[in-house]
Amino acid sequence: MCGIVGYIGKRDVAPLLLEGLQRLEYRGYDSAGVVITGKSGVLKTVKAKGRVRELEARIPKRFTGTTGIAHTRWATHGAPNDENAHPHLDADGKVALVHNGIIDNADDLRAKLIADGVEFTSETDSEVVVHLIGRSQADTLEAKVQEALRRIEGTYGIAVMHQDFPDRIVVARNGSPVVLGIGDKEMFVASDVAALVSHTRQVVTLDDGEMATLKADDFRTYTTEGSTTSATPTTVEWEAESYDMGGHDTYMHKEISEQPDAVDRVLRGRIDDRFSTVHLGGLNLDPREARSVRRIKILGCGTSYHAGQIGAQMIEELARIPSDAEPASEFRYRNPVVDPDTLYIAVSQSGETYDVLAAVQELKRKGARVLGVVNVVGSAIARETDGGVYVHAGPEVCVVSTKCFTNTVVAFGLLALHLGRIRDLSVADGKRIIAGLRKLPAQIAEMLEGEAEIEKLAAEYAGAKSMMFIGRVRGYPVAREASLKLKEISYIHAEAYPASELKHGPLALIEPALPTVAIVPDDELLEKNRAALEEIKARSGRILAVAHQVQEKADHTIVVPKNEVELDPILMGIPLQLFAYHTAKAMGRDIDKPRNLAKSVTVE
Ligand code: M6R
């Protein structure tokens, strides 16, 4: 969603800010803007509805300076237009602010400010903050910002410049990420390391309630109450190239093709052949605690929720702990019973998804133990949880998740094996699962080699108005995820059902114009799945099966390599990522930036 970039140093700031904004485009946005301190010391602002390239086209020739902040906006309060784009200025045009998050009491504050004679130029909640800062009588910019923050309720990541304090940018965080990038006599700030890594890999991530003052050759961090905090820079794991397209036509294609290496990474250094188990260093759950867990509840949204559903099945099968997954967005609103013997696991690729973070915070408040299965190291959810497993998929730029989904499911496989071996999973079964895990990278590579065939199939099915996805037990979350992937990027309506539920309703939809994608693994439910194919065929439905062997009743079968049954869901989803990709491509869709969607949903 919204993105922030800022710079203070000696270089010409506008090109740096535009480059940073381009690197944040993947998060989703609908307008962009930039403010710099011009040569005369006056703030100069340019804003544009639409893409960063439209903002760039509006930047005048002499737009030079060495300090500036910029923003990509995802509309929440007010339409996407030039006026509502950030940065916002106070009434005197001396203070500029960019803001990510939502100010809950904006309406009240706006009414009070209007009563005091303030004229608003936008419909945004963010504008109230800049007016509060501008009207503060405090002596320093830091104190002005603190005074304003004391009056607002809600979430924010903000960056503020003030014409009377040209040597600094002040930033603050509460619920919306703010990362400082430390350069050589220059400082950067961004809401996402993607905007920083081409300049520096030394970063400091602010905590909620923390602020920072950035000067060209120095920075300091402190709380919104003014107490100094210690900030030790860490090194970002990924090189700038990891955020580039690397010769692929889309990030989605690049990320699908990276999966053999990504899966290799999530396994690396974790397998313990001696005890037929795995080591998960950051779990913070000793064997005695692991044995006392009576139930596991997994929480995530979208694709991560689907990965959690597969994870719950793996844990239940391998560790025999009753487990289930639930959308975090629902869980947090239903006043759930929080049971001390239940282990909660929050799943998130970005580690920023607000619904997941809010669920974690509610659980922590009630004293629950919460682990994280997260991709982005040091992200809000990773830091809020008591321990967890990083999925090490590497940066995922495409809005739709592919490699992170796969790595998350593999991470759940590791967790299930770990818990299983602490409980009742035998050494022999441990060995069997480890052998299966080790086969995954090569098997994924083998499947990716079949891309040309999948492309042909996608061309055949691309004309469908609607598609049905079915699977049973282990195959059902795979069907759900494949259906989500297809609808996200092709905009073809897709439904996912357990194959067992067909005759309880959805069979009524089956006809030649509604193709069905069926997940048909060679497991104990093979014959039951085949019966479902028969039922569809009897109603002249077209079938594309994803199976371990060619399915007679299907019009087409994508054959996937066989692994251990518990690990089947990891492999069966991969050809369907390519299927969604090629279907969307055949339809001319903007694959990396599907309409109405953002990569990280950091607001409600
Ligand atoms: O970053 P998260 O994994 O927490 O994101 C959760 C969902 O918003 C995300 O998975 C979404 O469903 C993607 N568009 C999936 O492709």
Side-chain angles (χ1 to χ4, degrees):
M1 303 203 112
C2 304
I4 291 176
V5 195
Y7 173 83
I8 182 162
K10 293 205 168 14
R11 291 198 263 169
D12 188 18
V13 70
L16 286 175
L17 296 177
L18 290 170
E19 183 217 313
L21 290 185
Q22 274 153 6
R23 291 195 179 269
L24 297 183
E25 283 192 299
Y26 79 98
R27 298 173 66 93
Y29 69 104
D30 42 47
S31 57
V34 55
V35 60
I36 65 166
T37 307
K39 285 267 185 289
S40 60
V42 172
L43 298 183
K44 291 180 171 179
T45 311
V46 182
K47 310 202 268 189
K49 180 185 172 196
R51 298 284 192 202
V52 173
R53 61 174 177 270
E54 282 149 80
L55 174 70
E56 194 169 4
R58 283 195 188 178
I59 301 242
K61 277 222 170 66
R62 277 195 293 277
F63 195 72
T64 50
T66 57
T67 305
I69 54 180
H71 191 259
T72 45
R73 171 177 187 252
W74 171 278
T76 56
H77 292 60
N81 57 30
D82 290 0
E83 292 71 35
N84 290 332
H86 299 213
H88 293 290
L89 299 182
D90 74 323
D92 296 333
K94 284 185 156 195
V95 187
L97 165 129
V98 292
H99 166 230
N100 289 355
I102 290 186
I103 308 301
D104 296 335
N105 60 340
D107 290 348
D108 276 2
L109 291 170
R110 176 183 276 260
K112 285 186 188 127
L113 286 163
I114 289 173
D116 287 346
V118 174
E119 283 182 25
F120 278 77
T121 56
S122 79
E123 303 157 278
T124 64
D125 54 338
S126 313
E127 195 184 340
V128 298
V129 187
V130 78
H131 288 302
L132 291 174
I133 298 171
R135 290 165 68 81
S136 163
Q137 296 302 311
D139 293 338
T140 63
L141 178 55
E142 290 79 354
K144 287 175 190 291
V145 173
Q146 282 161 343
E147 195 178 300
L149 294 182
R150 275 196 282 279
R151 292 190 59 191
I152 66 174
E153 290 159 20
T155 56
Y156 53 80
I158 56 168
V160 183
M161 287 168 57
H162 195 306
Q163 205 168 285
D164 296 342
F165 303 90
D167 64 337
R168 66 197 60 199
I169 298 172
V170 171
V171 300
R173 169 196 168 130
N174 184 38
S176 207
V178 175
V179 186
L180 317 182
I182 298 149
D184 181 16
K185 300 203 171 49
E186 57 184 5
M187 287 290 301
F188 300 82
V189 62
S191 51
D192 182 329
V193 289
L196 305 173
V197 283
S198 58
H199 303 290
T200 177
R201 288 170 60 205
Q202 289 298 299
V203 300
V204 168
T205 306
L206 294 192
D207 278 322
D208 281 347
E210 224 177 356
M211 295 179 63
T213 298
L214 314 185
K215 295 185 175 181
D217 50 6
D218 181 28
F219 75 96
R220 69 183 183 90
T221 58
Y222 43 94
T223 66
T224 45
E225 303 308 319
S227 328
T228 300
T229 55
S230 72
T232 315
T234 55
T235 305
V236 178
E237 201 182 339
W238 304 102
E239 310 272 351
E241 298 73 60
S242 316
Y243 294 87
D244 294 337
M245 212 120 61
H248 293 261
D249 64 343
T250 56
Y251 280 105
M252 182 178 185
H253 194 265
K254 178 192 177 214
E255 287 156 8
I256 290 174
S257 70
E258 284 172 342
Q259 290 178 108
D261 287 343
V263 170
D264 189 49
R265 259 195 318 271
V266 67
L267 298 176
R268 205 175 299 157
R270 284 171 159 167
I271 292 175
D272 173 356
D273 287 304
R274 186 162 165 237
F275 290 106
S276 302
T277 185
V278 289
H279 288 300
L280 299 171
L283 210 54
N284 288 341
L285 189 74
D286 68 35
R288 194 182 292 261
E289 288 167 331
R291 286 198 71 89
S292 66
V293 170
R294 304 289 290 262
R295 179 167 281 281
I296 289 183
K297 166 69 91 182
I298 301 172
L299 300 166
C301 294
T303 287
S304 290
Y305 161 53
H306 296 153
Q309 282 193 304
I310 298 174
Q313 290 188 6
M314 285 174 162
I315 293 170
E316 204 158 288
E317 279 198 80
L318 296 177
R320 303 307 295 156
I321 304 172
S323 307
D324 72 328
E326 183 177 340
S329 49
E330 288 286 294
F331 175 84
R332 58 181 283 239
Y333 281 113
R334 64 172 181 77
N335 193 21
V337 174
V338 174
D339 166 25
D341 297 329
T342 298
L343 176 67
Y344 295 85
I345 303 180
V347 194
S348 175
Q349 176 282 128
S350 60
E352 281 179 31
T353 302
Y354 186 75
D355 281 319
V356 184
L357 184 60
V360 171
Q361 288 168 340
E362 175 70 357
L363 284 166
K364 296 289 304 277
R365 196 183 62 75
K366 290 182 170 171
R369 182 192 278 262
V370 193
L371 301 182
V373 175
V374 171
N375 188 42
V376 177
V377 175
S379 56
I381 293 166
R383 289 176 329 150
E384 197 81 34
T385 43
D386 299 302
V389 187
Y390 279 122
V391 309
H392 296 303
E396 192 177 69
V397 174
C398 178
V399 165
V400 299
S401 187
T402 52
K403 65 174 179 172
C404 275
F405 170 76
T406 303
N407 267 38
T408 302
V409 178
V410 177
F412 270 115
L414 296 176
L415 180 60
L417 172 60
H418 172 79
L419 295 172
R421 288 288 298 122
I422 287 173
R423 296 164 75 112
D424 298 324
L425 192 74
S426 68
V427 170
D429 275 335
K431 271 200 171 76
R432 178 175 67 77
I433 297 298
I434 286 175
L437 288 166
R438 282 204 169 108
K439 278 192 220 155
L440 290 171
Q443 289 183 317
I444 295 172
E446 182 190 329
M447 278 190 292
L448 296 179
E449 277 166 23
E451 180 173 358
E453 268 316 295
I454 297 173
E455 185 176 359
K456 278 192 213 143
L457 288 173
E460 274 200 41
Y461 287 86
K465 289 231 162 352
S466 185
M467 286 183 84
M468 177 79 82
F469 287 74
I470 57 168
R472 261 188 120 108
V473 187
R474 299 183 198 100
Y476 175 48
V478 177
R480 296 190 77 183
E481 172 56 15
S483 130
L484 176 68
K485 216 85 302 172
L486 183 76
K487 65 188 142 206
E488 278 184 300
I489 54 169
S490 71
Y491 317 145
I492 294 176
H493 168 250
E495 295 241 18
Y497 262 93
S500 55
E501 282 286 298
L502 264 189
K503 56 172 110 40
H504 300 293
L507 204 53
L509 293 171
I510 300 297
E511 46 133 354
L514 181 89
T516 298
V517 175
I519 313 297
V520 191
D522 257 7
D523 61 11
E524 66 281 11
L525 294 168
L526 179 61
E527 289 317 316
K528 302 243 174 253
N529 275 318
R530 282 186 170 151
L533 301 190
E534 296 258 8
E535 283 172 341
I536 296 167
K537 216 58 230 166
R539 276 116 192 132
S540 309
R542 261 196 310 160
I543 302 172
L544 168 61
V546 178
H548 291 121
Q549 48 181 304
V550 171
Q551 294 304 311
E552 217 181 279
K553 291 288 164 195
D555 298 82
H556 304 98
T557 305
I558 299 173
V559 177
V560 301
K562 185 88 192 82
N563 198 304
E564 299 303 323
V565 286
E566 296 91 337
L567 304 179
D568 279 341
I570 301 170
L571 294 172
M572 302 210 93
I574 286 171
L576 293 173
Q577 296 173 347
L578 282 172
F579 180 76
Y581 165 81
H582 281 293
T583 306
K585 194 171 169 189
M587 296 172 82
R589 304 300 193 209
D590 186 354
I591 292 176
D592 281 338
K593 297 187 198 94
R595 68 184 180 205
N596 307 336
L597 298 180
K599 181 69 179 162
S600 303
V601 185
T602 51
V603 294
E604 289 233 15

